[in-house]
Amino acid sequence: YYYSSPTLTNCTFENNTANYNGAGVYSNESSAALIGCTFTNNTANNSGGGMGNWSNSNPTLTDCTFTANTANYNGGGISSYESSATLTNTTVCSNIPDQIDGEWTDGGGNTIADTCPK
């Protein structure tokens, strides 16, 4: 996890597991910028299968995709606690049990759906 605010571009987070939160990325007191990143088939035993944001973590996600991520409780795609992600041109679909848990800001051009569009 990060205590800084990195910029990550064209990253792939795939087939990761977490015993608690944020299997793809766990963010704590960070405001990272992720551009063109893909989160696929990550599994968290608690929340945030794809991404878990905690304690004043306010990442910006642009042109990212979250699909087939799983959490046992909430935020299969993204989970935020005392945080808020900003999504722009980002697709969050087919995550279990839900797409996004917690606060987030709609920067426009997003697709948030239980089933991914074809």
Side-chain angles (χ1 to χ4, degrees):
Y1 56 89
Y2 297 105
Y3 288 104
S4 62
S5 297
T7 297
L8 304 173
T9 305
N10 298 324
C11 294
T12 299
F13 302 93
E14 186 174 18
N15 298 323
N16 297 293
T17 58
N19 286 331
Y20 199 63
N21 298 322
V25 169
Y26 176 79
S27 180
N28 187 354
E29 296 183 17
S30 172
S31 294
L34 289 89
I35 303 164
C37 294
T38 303
F39 296 76
T40 307
N41 200 37
N42 299 292
T43 303
N45 284 335
N46 191 20
S47 301
M51 173 181 252
N53 303 306
W54 271 258
S55 300
N56 197 32
S57 293
N58 302 300
T60 57
L61 306 167
T62 306
D63 298 321
C64 293
T65 304
F66 290 78
T67 55
N69 298 290
T70 305
N72 283 339
Y73 293 102
N74 50 38
I78 301 169
S79 183
S80 295
Y81 175 75
E82 296 178 352
S83 300
S84 179
T86 298
L87 282 64
T88 305
N89 297 325
T90 291
T91 299
V92 185
C93 61
S94 296
N95 299 287
I96 297 172
D98 50 8
Q99 306 316 307
I100 302 174
D101 177 67
E103 292 185 33
W104 65 285
T105 301
D106 186 349
N110 297 303
T111 300
I112 313 298
D114 289 340
T115 304
C116 290
K118 295 183 179 189

